[in-house]
Amino acid sequence: MSALRNIKSLAPLLDRVLVQRIKPETKTASGIFLPESSVKEQNEAKVLAVGPGAMDKNGQRLPMSVAPGDKVLIPQFGGSPLKVGEEEFTLFRDHELLAKINE
């Protein structure tokens, strides 16, 4: 199997959602840099790609609850992690996402 070179070539299947965690701020509004130990891992992520949706028992496609570009709240654990170069991504099922963040 060849290594995935570009995350844009990954197309989630069924009801899967590809997200990337939003990195927490390492600097305060006043410009003070925070040590890594004080910066908690965020549970916010940006949706990069979504599958077409799962099928119900009648063969009808169920719509996805999020779209690329949406910000979502993801669970602390779970999902399928992916690494492309130095970048980290995670695949979740649509129903595993906790919330959509409306801004």
Side-chain angles (χ1 to χ4, degrees):
M1 184 173 145
S2 66
L4 191 61
R5 288 180 176 50
N6 187 339
I7 199 66
K8 290 182 181 12
S9 63
L10 186 72
L13 299 176
L14 298 174
D15 64 340
R16 288 180 177 82
V17 179
L18 179 67
V19 301
Q20 184 173 30
R21 253 181 225 279
I22 296 171
K23 294 198 180 356
E25 289 294 324
T26 57
K27 190 166 77 166
T28 65
S30 60
I32 298 170
F33 285 92
L34 301 169
E36 266 187 51
S37 59
S38 72
V39 178
K40 281 205 242 170
E41 192 167 282
Q42 296 266 25
N43 285 356
E44 286 182 25
K46 182 177 180 182
V47 176
L48 302 177
V50 298
M55 303 290 256
D56 68 12
K57 62 184 176 185
N58 299 321
Q60 299 295 315
R61 189 137 334 250
L62 299 170
M64 296 295 283
S65 60
V66 294
D70 287 347
K71 280 176 71 175
V72 294
L73 193 61
I74 57 175
Q76 182 103 20
F77 303 103
S80 300
L82 297 165
K83 193 163 185 178
V84 179
E86 294 300 309
E87 298 286 319
E88 293 182 9
F89 305 90
T90 310
L91 272 169
F92 286 98
R93 289 193 175 269
D94 192 29
H95 71 271
E96 293 176 322
L97 299 175
L98 302 176
K100 182 176 168 180
I101 301 169
N102 296 317
E103 295 185 280

